[in-house]
Amino acid sequence: MNLFTAAENTANYANAGAAKAKLPISKMLLLGILAGLLIGFPSCVTNMATYGLDNNSTIRMISGLLFAFGLGMVVVGGAELFTGNTLITISVLEKKATVGGMLRNWLFVYIGNFVGSMALSFICAQFGWLSAGENALAAYSMKVAVGKMTMPFENAFFMGILCNILVTVGVLLSLSGKDGISRFIGAWAPVMFFVVCGFNHSIADMTYCMLGLFAKGNAAYVEAATAAGVAVESLTWGNYLLGNLIPVTLGNIVGGAAVGFTYWFSFLRGAKKS
């Protein structure tokens, strides 16, 4: 077979997660920044590809088809993505990593993801990228950001859970492949599903939200967004923190940990150790 079985793949991840938990902080940060960029670029791509469209179903379909390549780049490229690393719960349950090591990885990878997303968003907002379509791209990006950071807390939390169920399944499907095409397709399909459904991914939302936040500093972008009926006043760091970053991150943790527990319980619990 050109694939690892689910049991083999879960055992493989238990070892890989243990190694992730022991990475030097410098590598966690740098590979985290890389993943922030690799997930941020598809966020920019989807905004650019859909800013001139009006039909929401069409927007979601195009966004899903394009954005979903991001996770494959992360997995195959060896970057460190917080949402995928919630699967280190497998390593902890298998007693190959400690809770402290897992939390250490989550913290520094998350910081790296945030830095990568922020750098990309700042550059796009400050150096003309958002001016496409006579600032229509800026107005659309601000609209997307407002939508993401003004959800009720519980909605953002549960959409975060559903999202990371699909993301972590995508990571495991990707790692089950023994060739590049299999790995990309394994990661692509579940991610495409979550984007089309409109679920929330904390790292992708970093770029989506910060594009809007940084765009607010440009008077021309604000004018275009206001003319398009965007509630620009809702673009605040406080709304981002409480309306998106915290609830979506917590939801992502719950969803990813649930998948990790399910795979460990189903395929490793009670299995003979080699």
Side-chain angles (χ1 to χ4, degrees), residues 162-184:
L162 296 179
C163 171
N164 217 32
I165 289 173
L166 286 168
V167 169
T168 48
V169 167
V171 170
L172 291 170
L173 288 177
S174 178
L175 293 175
S176 70
K178 296 182 180 180
D179 62 82
I181 294 176
S182 297
R183 291 196 163 193
F184 262 97

Side-chain angles (χ1 to χ4, degrees), residues 40 95 99 102 119 126 129 139 173 201 217 227:
K95 302 187 187 310
V99 172
M102 176 180 71
Q126 293 296 314
W129 181 79
L173 288 177
H201 185 271

Side-chain angles (χ1 to χ4, degrees), residues 98-119:
T98 65
V99 172
M102 176 180 71
L103 295 177
R104 172 177 170 272
N105 176 278
W106 289 1
L107 173 63
F108 289 107
V109 168
Y110 191 87
I111 291 171
N113 293 166
F114 189 89
V115 171
S117 302
M118 176 179 279

